[in-house]
Amino acid sequence: MNTKHTIPSDEDLTAFIDGELTAEEAARIQTMVEEDESTAERLEFLARASLPFKQAFAPLLSEAPREKLETMLAAIPAQPSARPASTPAFASRRRFLGALAASLVVGIAIDRAVIGIGKGFSAKDENSEWRAVVADYISLYSAETLAGPVPGREDQAAQLASLDEKLGLSLSPEAVSLPGIDFKRALLLQYDGKALAQVAYLDPETGPMALCIVRSDAGPKAPDLESRKGMNVVYWSNATHAFMLIGHGAADRMTAIAEGVRGKVAV
């Protein structure tokens, strides 16, 4: 690792991707991308996702001191995602990401096909990539993030209806209800150019929980269990969509909850 530069935080890298840094700050990030492998990998990982963190954390941002939030964000460890085996090999990973960085600095749009993330969801992606991004996102949630009253049924139905057109779903409050767990909000997010539905809950026993859904043509898959970012994930798919339920509950409890909601959200 090059010790001549301060390692950029995820907030800095996201600002770099969005073109929100000064020329001097952007040049520093570009240098780090070219010289430091972990920074290059983290930039590539963050570039894959387009999730509205600001929208999701608006309630906290309006109340918490900015300095404290920046310190918390800077402390989040970088966990580079694994490269799919099918991804084309580049002559030099750092040289390629350095070129990406330089293009971002001068405002040139990089075609997703060039960096291998515009191929749509393959079976491998659905079994790894999108769940990794969601786990990173949900790991930032706390009980305070989802504090507040439970929306009434009419409000829940309106939020869920906003997901229908983009994902070809027909979700009702009853379909996504979880026993003993409070519905908090339904959001339409985006991953790699694909719509991603997230229904967020607050479990009084274990904290934040979420049901997430993307379109998928990989075919039906029976529920499976994995652990990500200290949380348990139950994931499955049908002919048209892939699903995941993620939370801090014990594996057997998460599996039971997922089994209960699985039949109700079939489309």
Side-chain angles (χ1 to χ4, degrees):
M1 182 184 344
N2 191 325
T3 58
K4 296 181 180 180
H5 305 281
T6 301
I7 297 176
S9 65
D10 281 5
E11 184 181 29
D12 292 334
L13 291 175
T14 301
F16 176 81
I17 292 169
D18 293 339
E20 297 176 349
L21 298 180
T22 64
E24 181 180 355
E25 291 170 332
R28 180 179 70 85
I29 299 292
Q30 179 183 345
T31 299
M32 287 296 297
V33 168
E34 294 172 348
E35 298 181 356
D36 182 70
E37 182 74 10
S38 63
T39 300
E41 290 180 340
R42 192 59 179 171
L43 176 67
E44 182 184 19
F45 177 79
L46 292 172
R48 288 177 180 267
S50 179
L51 300 177
F53 289 93
K54 184 174 181 180
Q55 176 187 356
F57 293 98
L60 285 182
L61 291 171
S62 64
E63 299 175 5
R66 178 179 177 82
E67 183 177 350
K68 182 177 179 181
L69 283 176
E70 290 177 344
T71 300
M72 292 170 63
L73 285 169
I76 298 171
Q79 297 290 336
S81 61
R83 175 180 293 276
S86 61
T87 302
F90 294 96
S92 168
R93 178 188 182 87
R94 292 182 185 178
R95 181 170 58 190
F96 166 71
L97 287 171
L100 170 61
S103 298
L104 287 167
V105 169
V106 297
I108 298 175
I110 301 298
D111 191 317
R112 283 177 175 268
V114 175
I115 57 177
I117 57 177
K119 299 179 180 178
F121 287 109
S122 66
K124 184 174 181 63
D125 288 331
E126 290 163 349
N127 288 336
S128 177
E129 288 286 339
W130 79 283
R131 296 198 309 276
V133 172
V134 170
D136 262 3
Y137 185 48
I138 300 299
S139 70
L140 300 178
Y141 279 13
S142 69
E144 288 74 20
T145 309
L146 300 172
V150 176
R153 188 195 182 285
E154 185 175 336
D155 191 8
Q156 292 182 31
Q159 292 182 39
L160 292 168
S162 68
L163 311 178
D164 290 352
E165 181 179 354
K166 292 291 186 180
L167 284 103
L169 297 171
S170 182
L171 299 175
S172 67
E174 291 75 24
V176 300
S177 65
L178 305 183
I181 300 172
D182 292 336
F183 175 108
K184 285 297 184 175
R185 62 178 179 235
L187 295 174
L188 182 64
L189 310 178
Q190 180 175 288
Y191 167 72
D192 198 17
K194 303 287 186 178
L196 187 160
Q198 180 202 103
V199 183
Y201 307 86
L202 186 59
D203 178 9
E205 296 182 18
T206 62
M209 188 177 295
L211 173 68
C212 299
I213 311 169
V214 294
R215 285 185 182 271
S216 167
D217 58 4
K221 185 184 185 306
D224 206 347
L225 177 71
E226 66 183 1
S227 178
R228 290 184 181 273
K229 306 293 286 187
M231 294 173 285
N232 284 312
V233 180
V234 183
Y235 60 96
W236 69 95
S237 61
N238 59 22
T240 55
H241 293 79
F243 304 82
M244 65 180 284
L245 180 72
I246 181 170
H248 298 272
D252 56 349
R253 181 164 179 259
M254 293 294 293
T255 300
I257 294 172
E259 187 60 33
V261 74
R262 182 182 168 209
K264 297 189 297 181
V265 297
V267 292

